Amino acid sequence: MTDNVTNDDAARRAGPRFGVWANVYGTWASAHHPDDPVDASWRRNLNLIQQAENLGYESTLVAQHLINPFSHDWEQLETWTAVAALAASTTKIELIAAIKPLLFHPVVLAKQAATIEEISRGRLSLNVVNAWYKPEIERAGIAFPEHDDRYAYGAEWLLVVRRLLAGEVVEHHGKFFDIDGYQLSPTGLYRERPQIYVGGESDRARDLVADQGDVWFINGQPIDSVRELIGSVAARPRHGDPVRYGLAAFVVARPTAAEAQAELDRHWELNRLDEEYTASIIAGADEKAVMFQTFAKYPAIGTNGGTAAGLVGSYDEVADRIVEFHNAGIETFMLQFQPFEAEMERFAGEVIPRVRERIGSAELQVSAS
Protein backbone atom coordinates (compact mmCIF):
# COMPACT_ATOMS: atom_id res chain seq x y z
CA MET A 1 0.00 0.00 0.00
CA THR A 2 1.33 3.45 -0.90
CA ASP A 3 2.29 5.58 2.08
CA ASN A 4 0.53 8.94 1.64
CA VAL A 5 1.90 10.42 4.85
CA THR A 6 3.04 14.04 4.45
CA ASN A 7 6.46 15.33 5.39
CA ASP A 8 4.91 16.95 8.46
CA ASP A 9 3.43 13.62 9.56
CA ALA A 10 6.74 11.86 8.98
CA ALA A 11 8.55 14.45 11.09
CA ARG A 12 6.06 13.95 13.90
CA ARG A 13 6.57 10.20 13.78
CA ALA A 14 10.30 10.73 14.13
CA GLY A 15 9.80 12.54 17.45
CA PRO A 16 8.99 13.68 19.94
CA ARG A 17 12.08 15.43 21.28
CA PHE A 18 12.52 16.31 24.95
CA GLY A 19 14.39 19.28 26.34
CA VAL A 20 14.83 21.08 29.64
CA TRP A 21 14.86 24.74 30.60
CA ALA A 22 18.22 25.74 32.02
CA ASN A 23 17.68 27.05 35.55
CA VAL A 24 18.62 30.64 34.73
CA TYR A 25 16.29 32.11 37.39
CA GLY A 26 17.30 29.65 40.11
CA THR A 27 13.86 28.02 40.16
CA TRP A 28 10.94 27.54 37.79
CA ALA A 29 8.29 27.22 40.51
CA SER A 30 8.25 28.16 44.19
CA ALA A 31 11.12 29.94 45.91
CA HIS A 32 10.03 28.17 49.10
CA HIS A 33 10.43 24.53 48.05
CA PRO A 34 12.52 22.84 50.78
CA ASP A 35 14.31 20.55 48.32
CA ASP A 36 14.99 23.12 45.59
CA PRO A 37 16.73 26.25 46.86
CA VAL A 38 16.91 29.23 44.50
CA ASP A 39 20.23 28.75 42.71
CA ALA A 40 20.97 30.19 39.26
CA SER A 41 24.73 29.68 39.51
CA TRP A 42 26.81 28.68 36.52
CA ARG A 43 28.00 25.56 38.36
CA ARG A 44 24.47 24.35 39.04
CA ASN A 45 23.40 24.97 35.45
CA LEU A 46 26.46 23.25 34.03
CA ASN A 47 25.83 20.16 36.16
CA LEU A 48 22.11 20.22 35.29
CA ILE A 49 22.64 20.39 31.52
CA GLN A 50 25.37 17.74 31.59
CA GLN A 51 23.03 15.51 33.61
CA ALA A 52 20.23 16.16 31.10
CA GLU A 53 22.52 15.22 28.21
CA ASN A 54 23.54 12.00 29.97
CA LEU A 55 19.87 11.16 30.62
CA GLY A 56 19.08 11.48 26.91
CA TYR A 57 17.44 14.89 26.72
CA GLU A 58 18.04 16.33 23.27
CA SER A 59 17.75 20.06 23.86
CA THR A 60 18.01 22.84 26.42
CA LEU A 61 16.60 26.35 26.37
CA VAL A 62 18.65 29.07 28.05
CA ALA A 63 16.19 31.93 28.56
CA GLN A 64 17.41 35.52 28.50
CA HIS A 65 17.09 38.17 31.17
CA LEU A 66 19.78 40.46 32.50
CA ILE A 67 18.02 40.98 35.82
CA ASN A 68 15.78 38.40 37.46
CA PRO A 69 12.10 39.29 36.91
CA PHE A 70 11.04 37.47 40.09
CA SER A 71 13.30 39.60 42.27
CA HIS A 72 16.16 41.90 41.39
CA ASP A 73 17.98 40.51 44.44
CA TRP A 74 18.07 37.02 42.96
CA GLU A 75 20.84 35.57 40.82
CA GLN A 76 20.36 35.57 37.06
CA LEU A 77 22.47 33.52 34.64
CA GLU A 78 23.51 35.41 31.51
CA THR A 79 22.54 33.52 28.39
CA TRP A 80 25.23 34.04 25.77
CA THR A 81 28.31 33.67 27.94
CA ALA A 82 26.74 30.58 29.53
CA VAL A 83 25.85 29.03 26.16
CA ALA A 84 29.41 29.56 24.91
CA ALA A 85 30.69 27.67 27.94
CA LEU A 86 28.05 24.95 27.55
CA ALA A 87 29.09 24.54 23.92
CA ALA A 88 32.55 23.50 25.10
CA SER A 89 31.24 21.43 28.03
CA THR A 90 28.68 19.23 26.24
CA THR A 91 28.79 17.03 23.16
CA LYS A 92 25.27 16.21 21.93
CA ILE A 93 22.55 18.41 23.37
CA GLU A 94 21.04 21.24 21.29
CA LEU A 95 21.75 24.62 22.87
CA ILE A 96 18.89 27.08 22.32
CA ALA A 97 20.01 30.57 23.32
CA ALA A 98 17.25 33.11 23.78
CA ILE A 99 17.89 36.60 22.46
CA LYS A 100 16.10 39.93 22.86
CA PRO A 101 16.96 41.97 19.74
CA LEU A 102 16.76 45.26 21.66
CA LEU A 103 19.86 44.28 23.66
CA PHE A 104 22.30 43.30 20.86
CA HIS A 105 23.18 44.82 17.52
CA PRO A 106 22.52 42.14 14.87
CA VAL A 107 26.10 42.15 13.54
CA VAL A 108 27.54 41.62 17.02
CA LEU A 109 25.05 38.91 17.94
CA ALA A 110 25.50 37.11 14.62
CA LYS A 111 29.26 36.95 15.16
CA GLN A 112 28.79 35.60 18.69
CA ALA A 113 26.35 33.02 17.37
CA ALA A 114 28.67 31.98 14.55
CA THR A 115 31.49 31.42 17.04
CA ILE A 116 29.29 29.36 19.41
CA GLU A 117 28.07 27.39 16.39
CA GLU A 118 31.70 26.51 15.66
CA ILE A 119 32.52 25.65 19.30
CA SER A 120 29.45 23.40 19.57
CA ARG A 121 30.03 21.78 16.17
CA GLY A 122 26.60 22.76 14.88
CA ARG A 123 24.44 22.54 18.01
CA LEU A 124 23.42 26.19 18.51
CA SER A 125 19.89 27.50 17.97
CA LEU A 126 18.49 30.99 18.53
CA ASN A 127 15.21 31.70 20.29
CA VAL A 128 14.06 35.19 19.27
CA VAL A 129 11.84 36.84 21.87
CA ASN A 130 10.87 40.47 21.50
CA ALA A 131 10.85 41.35 25.22
CA TRP A 132 8.03 41.75 27.71
CA TYR A 133 9.81 42.70 30.99
CA LYS A 134 10.21 46.47 30.85
CA PRO A 135 12.53 47.20 33.83
CA GLU A 136 15.57 45.39 32.40
CA ILE A 137 15.28 47.45 29.22
CA GLU A 138 14.18 50.83 30.53
CA ARG A 139 16.51 50.95 33.54
CA ALA A 140 19.42 50.45 31.17
CA GLY A 141 18.41 53.61 29.33
CA ILE A 142 17.14 51.67 26.30
CA ALA A 143 13.80 52.69 24.81
CA PHE A 144 11.04 50.09 25.18
CA PRO A 145 8.92 50.46 22.02
CA GLU A 146 5.26 49.57 21.74
CA HIS A 147 4.44 45.90 21.11
CA ASP A 148 4.05 46.03 17.32
CA ASP A 149 7.08 48.31 16.96
CA ARG A 150 9.20 45.78 18.87
CA TYR A 151 8.15 43.11 16.41
CA ALA A 152 8.94 45.32 13.43
CA TYR A 153 12.39 45.93 14.91
CA GLY A 154 12.82 42.22 15.68
CA ALA A 155 11.81 41.16 12.17
CA GLU A 156 14.38 43.45 10.55
CA TRP A 157 16.99 42.43 13.14
CA LEU A 158 16.39 38.73 12.44
CA LEU A 159 16.60 39.22 8.69
CA VAL A 160 20.10 40.65 9.09
CA VAL A 161 21.19 37.92 11.52
CA ARG A 162 19.88 35.08 9.34
CA ARG A 163 21.71 36.37 6.27
CA LEU A 164 24.98 36.89 8.17
CA LEU A 165 24.82 33.41 9.70
CA ALA A 166 24.24 31.97 6.22
CA GLY A 167 27.53 33.54 5.11
CA GLU A 168 26.02 36.18 2.84
CA VAL A 169 27.56 39.54 2.13
CA VAL A 170 24.86 41.70 3.69
CA GLU A 171 23.90 45.00 2.15
CA HIS A 172 20.87 46.18 4.12
CA HIS A 173 19.38 49.65 4.42
CA GLY A 174 16.19 49.51 6.43
CA LYS A 175 14.20 51.44 9.00
CA PHE A 176 16.38 50.35 11.92
CA PHE A 177 19.71 49.15 10.51
CA ASP A 178 22.23 50.28 7.89
CA ILE A 179 24.56 47.40 7.03
CA ASP A 180 27.12 48.13 4.34
CA GLY A 181 28.60 45.01 2.75
CA TYR A 182 29.15 43.00 5.95
CA GLN A 183 30.22 39.35 5.87
CA LEU A 184 31.20 36.98 8.68
CA SER A 185 33.74 34.17 8.54
CA PRO A 186 33.70 31.34 9.30
CA THR A 187 30.10 30.29 8.77
CA GLY A 188 28.50 27.13 7.42
CA LEU A 189 31.06 24.71 8.85
CA TYR A 190 28.40 22.20 9.92
CA ARG A 191 25.17 23.34 8.20
CA GLU A 192 23.75 26.36 6.40
CA ARG A 193 22.97 28.24 9.64
CA PRO A 194 21.65 27.65 13.19
CA GLN A 195 17.96 26.93 13.69
CA ILE A 196 15.66 29.84 14.56
CA TYR A 197 13.00 29.43 17.25
CA VAL A 198 10.44 32.20 17.75
CA GLY A 199 8.44 32.86 20.92
CA GLY A 200 5.27 34.89 21.43
CA GLU A 201 1.60 34.34 20.63
CA SER A 202 0.43 37.63 19.12
CA ASP A 203 -0.45 37.95 15.46
CA ARG A 204 2.87 39.70 14.92
CA ALA A 205 4.71 36.77 16.52
CA ARG A 206 2.85 34.32 14.29
CA ASP A 207 3.71 36.39 11.22
CA LEU A 208 7.37 36.44 12.26
CA VAL A 209 7.69 32.69 12.67
CA ALA A 210 5.85 32.01 9.41
CA ASP A 211 8.14 34.44 7.59
CA GLN A 212 11.53 33.72 9.16
CA GLY A 213 11.39 31.06 11.88
CA ASP A 214 12.02 27.34 11.80
CA VAL A 215 10.25 26.41 15.04
CA TRP A 216 7.47 28.15 17.00
CA PHE A 217 7.59 27.84 20.79
CA ILE A 218 4.04 27.72 22.18
CA ASN A 219 3.36 28.42 25.85
CA GLY A 220 1.78 25.60 27.84
CA GLN A 221 -2.02 25.46 27.49
CA PRO A 222 -4.77 22.92 26.76
CA ILE A 223 -4.46 20.89 23.61
CA ASP A 224 -7.47 22.43 21.86
CA SER A 225 -5.84 25.86 22.15
CA VAL A 226 -2.55 24.45 20.90
CA ARG A 227 -4.29 22.95 17.86
CA GLU A 228 -5.83 26.33 17.06
CA LEU A 229 -2.47 28.08 17.36
CA ILE A 230 -0.75 25.55 15.10
CA GLY A 231 -3.52 25.90 12.54
CA SER A 232 -3.18 29.66 12.60
CA VAL A 233 0.53 29.58 11.78
CA ALA A 234 0.25 26.69 9.32
CA ALA A 235 -2.31 28.70 7.31
CA ARG A 236 0.04 31.66 6.83
CA PRO A 237 2.08 32.11 3.64
CA ARG A 238 5.41 30.32 3.92
CA HIS A 239 8.51 29.81 1.79
CA GLY A 240 10.63 26.73 2.42
CA ASP A 241 10.07 23.86 4.83
CA PRO A 242 6.97 23.88 7.04
CA VAL A 243 7.18 25.46 10.48
CA ARG A 244 7.80 22.98 13.30
CA TYR A 245 6.39 23.39 16.80
CA GLY A 246 7.57 23.22 20.38
CA LEU A 247 5.64 23.38 23.66
CA ALA A 248 6.62 24.60 27.12
CA ALA A 249 5.36 22.52 30.04
CA PHE A 250 5.90 21.89 33.74
CA VAL A 251 5.68 18.19 34.63
CA VAL A 252 4.24 16.58 37.75
CA ALA A 253 4.36 12.81 37.15
CA ARG A 254 3.90 10.09 39.78
CA PRO A 255 3.08 6.36 39.80
CA THR A 256 -0.63 7.14 40.31
CA ALA A 257 -2.92 10.04 39.43
CA ALA A 258 -3.77 10.51 43.12
CA GLU A 259 -0.08 10.93 44.02
CA ALA A 260 0.39 13.43 41.19
CA GLN A 261 -2.62 15.45 42.32
CA ALA A 262 -1.31 15.50 45.89
CA GLU A 263 2.03 16.82 44.62
CA LEU A 264 0.29 19.45 42.49
CA ASP A 265 -1.71 20.55 45.54
CA ARG A 266 1.56 20.92 47.44
CA HIS A 267 2.94 23.09 44.64
CA TRP A 268 -0.08 25.38 44.87
CA GLU A 269 0.39 25.70 48.64
CA LEU A 270 4.01 26.70 48.12
CA ASN A 271 3.01 29.02 45.28
CA ARG A 272 0.89 31.08 47.66
CA LEU A 273 4.07 31.95 49.56
CA ASP A 274 5.50 33.59 46.42
CA GLU A 275 2.98 36.39 45.97
CA GLU A 276 5.58 39.17 46.20
CA TYR A 277 7.62 37.57 43.40
CA THR A 278 4.57 37.11 41.18
CA ALA A 279 3.66 40.74 41.77
CA SER A 280 7.14 41.80 40.63
CA ILE A 281 6.66 40.09 37.29
CA ILE A 282 3.19 41.48 36.72
CA ALA A 283 4.28 45.01 37.63
CA GLY A 284 7.11 44.92 35.08
CA ALA A 285 5.31 43.17 32.25
CA ASP A 286 4.07 44.86 29.09
CA GLU A 287 0.29 44.76 29.43
CA LYS A 288 0.01 44.16 25.67
CA ALA A 289 2.00 40.92 25.82
CA VAL A 290 -0.49 38.29 24.67
CA MET A 291 1.09 35.50 26.69
CA PHE A 292 -0.02 37.14 29.94
CA GLN A 293 -3.59 37.11 28.67
CA THR A 294 -3.18 33.38 28.07
CA PHE A 295 -1.74 32.86 31.55
CA ALA A 296 -4.73 34.65 33.07
CA LYS A 297 -7.04 32.15 31.35
CA TYR A 298 -5.05 29.11 32.48
CA PRO A 299 -3.44 29.57 35.94
CA ALA A 300 -0.49 27.24 36.30
CA ILE A 301 2.58 26.19 38.23
CA GLY A 302 5.79 27.09 36.41
CA THR A 303 6.49 29.77 33.84
CA ASN A 304 5.36 30.03 30.21
CA GLY A 305 2.15 28.15 30.82
CA GLY A 306 3.68 25.41 32.97
CA THR A 307 1.12 22.90 34.21
CA ALA A 308 -1.60 24.39 31.97
CA ALA A 309 -0.32 21.96 29.32
CA GLY A 310 -1.74 19.17 31.46
CA LEU A 311 1.41 17.07 31.95
CA VAL A 312 0.20 16.22 35.44
CA GLY A 313 -0.86 12.68 36.36
CA SER A 314 0.34 9.12 36.47
CA TYR A 315 3.31 8.15 34.34
CA ASP A 316 0.94 6.56 31.83
CA GLU A 317 -1.40 9.56 31.76
CA VAL A 318 1.44 12.01 31.16
CA ALA A 319 2.84 9.78 28.40
CA ASP A 320 -0.60 9.61 26.75
CA ARG A 321 -0.95 13.41 26.82
CA ILE A 322 2.47 13.88 25.29
CA VAL A 323 1.55 11.52 22.46
CA GLU A 324 -1.69 13.47 21.95
CA PHE A 325 0.23 16.76 21.69
CA HIS A 326 2.75 15.10 19.40
CA ASN A 327 0.00 13.88 17.08
CA ALA A 328 -1.36 17.44 17.02
CA GLY A 329 1.99 18.68 15.70
CA ILE A 330 4.29 19.28 18.69
CA GLU A 331 7.81 18.08 17.98
CA THR A 332 9.82 19.46 20.91
CA PHE A 333 8.69 19.46 24.55
CA MET A 334 10.66 21.97 26.63
CA LEU A 335 10.17 20.92 30.23
CA GLN A 336 10.42 22.35 33.74
CA PHE A 337 10.44 20.47 37.04
CA GLN A 338 10.74 21.00 40.80
CA PRO A 339 12.95 19.91 42.44
CA PHE A 340 14.53 20.10 39.01
CA GLU A 341 17.29 17.53 38.95
CA ALA A 342 15.39 14.75 40.76
CA GLU A 343 12.19 15.19 38.75
CA MET A 344 14.11 15.48 35.48
CA GLU A 345 15.64 12.08 36.25
CA ARG A 346 12.24 10.64 37.18
CA PHE A 347 10.74 11.81 33.88
CA ALA A 348 13.62 10.34 31.87
CA GLY A 349 13.29 7.00 33.64
CA GLU A 350 9.52 6.65 33.81
CA VAL A 351 7.79 8.77 31.18
CA ILE A 352 10.10 8.95 28.17
CA PRO A 353 10.24 5.14 27.77
CA ARG A 354 6.43 5.00 27.89
CA VAL A 355 6.21 7.69 25.20
CA ARG A 356 8.72 5.88 22.98
CA GLU A 357 6.77 2.64 23.41
CA ARG A 358 3.51 4.32 22.39
CA ILE A 359 5.06 6.10 19.41
CA GLY A 360 6.74 2.87 18.31
CA SER A 361 3.45 0.97 18.48
CA ALA A 362 1.76 3.65 16.38
CA GLU A 363 4.53 3.44 13.78
CA LEU A 364 4.10 -0.32 13.56
CA GLN A 365 0.35 0.09 13.00
CA VAL A 366 0.96 2.61 10.18
CA SER A 367 3.55 0.32 8.57
CA ALA A 368 1.19 -2.65 8.80
CA SER A 369 -1.53 -0.71 7.00
Side-chain angles (χ1 to χ4, degrees):
M1 180 176 181
T2 302
D3 189 350
N4 293 320
V5 175
T6 67
N7 289 336
D8 277 348
D9 290 334
R12 287 201 291 273
R13 279 202 249 150
R17 304 170 67 246
F18 296 103
V20 297
W21 290 68
N23 220 327
V24 298
Y25 294 163
T27 180
W28 290 108
S30 176
H32 293 86
H33 197 294
D35 300 320
D36 194 37
V38 176
D39 179 3
S41 67
W42 158 246
R43 183 56 54 185
R44 187 212 183 158
N45 277 276
L46 172 63
N47 291 339
L48 188 154
I49 301 310
Q50 288 178 331
Q51 179 188 359
E53 183 174 71
N54 290 335
L55 287 169
Y57 289 91
E58 296 165 270
S59 185
T60 185
L61 172 59
V62 187
Q64 186 183 56
H65 284 288
L66 300 183
I67 55 178
N68 195 310
F70 287 100
S71 171
H72 296 178
D73 294 329
W74 287 9
E75 299 176 353
Q76 176 68 44
L77 190 72
E78 198 285 313
T79 299
W80 284 82
T81 49
V83 169
L86 285 169
S89 304
T90 56
T91 59
K92 296 178 293 184
I93 197 164
E94 178 191 23
L95 303 170
I96 307 174
I99 179 64
K100 294 183 174 74
L102 289 173
L103 296 176
F104 289 85
H105 191 281
V107 167
V108 176
L109 189 282
K111 183 58 179 176
Q112 290 176 310
T115 300
I116 297 172
E117 172 79 346
E118 181 180 2
I119 295 168
S120 68
R121 300 178 69 85
R123 292 184 289 121
L124 177 70
S125 294
L126 280 67
N127 177 33
V128 179
V129 288
N130 282 290
W132 56 265
Y133 188 61
K134 294 187 286 187
E136 70 178 335
I137 306 295
E138 294 176 335
R139 293 185 186 183
I142 301 171
F144 191 84
E146 288 295 311
H147 179 276
D148 287 0
D149 292 335
R150 293 200 305 279
Y151 273 91
Y153 180 95
E156 186 175 326
W157 182 97
L158 182 55
L159 178 64
V160 173
V161 170
R162 280 173 53 106
R163 293 180 62 196
L164 286 168
L165 288 176
E168 295 182 30
V169 177
V170 176
E171 189 80 30
H172 175 91
H173 305 288
K175 179 178 179 180
F176 302 104
F177 302 106
D178 252 336
I179 313 297
D180 187 12
Y182 225 95
Q183 185 177 28
L184 301 180
S185 182
T187 59
L189 297 176
Y190 300 97
R191 53 186 170 167
E192 181 181 353
R193 59 164 175 80
Q195 294 285 290
I196 305 296
Y197 290 72
V198 174
E201 293 181 10
S202 67
D203 283 337
R204 295 302 298 270
R206 301 178 203 191
D207 291 342
L208 180 59
V209 72
D211 187 42
Q212 297 197 61
D214 300 305
V215 186
W216 189 29
F217 260 139
I218 300 171
N219 291 311
Q221 52 201 285
I223 191 165
D224 287 345
S225 297
V226 170
R227 287 194 182 104
E228 290 177 8
L229 291 168
I230 289 175
S232 172
V233 168
R236 280 167 159 76
R238 170 79 173 178
H239 298 289
D241 294 334
V243 174
R244 305 194 309 279
Y245 302 94
L247 182 73
F250 188 103
V251 178
V252 181
R254 291 292 183 271
T256 67
E259 289 173 279
Q261 184 60 52
E263 183 63 19
L264 180 62
D265 292 342
R266 182 185 183 218
H267 276 295
W268 279 115
E269 290 175 6
L270 291 169
N271 186 69
R272 283 189 280 273
L273 302 176
D274 294 332
E275 290 181 356
E276 65 176 295
Y277 307 127
T278 303
S280 172
I281 289 179
I282 293 173
D286 176 13
E287 62 276 6
K288 293 183 180 178
V290 173
M291 71 174 183
F292 284 94
Q293 300 168 25
T294 303
F295 300 161
K297 290 169 58 180
Y298 309 113
I301 298 297
T303 71
N304 294 80
T307 53
L311 301 191
V312 177
S314 70
Y315 300 143
D316 287 317
E317 287 173 331
V318 172
D320 287 340
R321 286 168 193 156
I322 288 170
V323 172
E324 189 176 8
F325 275 116
H326 180 55
N327 289 337
I330 297 298
E331 174 187 271
T332 299
F333 293 82
M334 196 58 61
L335 306 175
Q336 300 174 356
F337 308 92
Q338 190 176 44
F340 204 111
E341 290 84 350
E343 292 301 310
M344 175 177 70
E345 185 170 0
R346 180 199 297 270
F347 184 88
E350 298 291 350
V351 178
I352 291 179
R354 286 171 163 83
V355 173
R356 300 297 185 213
E357 180 181 1
R358 285 158 170 76
I359 297 295
S361 297
E363 288 178 359
L364 288 174
Q365 291 175 7
V366 170
S367 298
S369 67

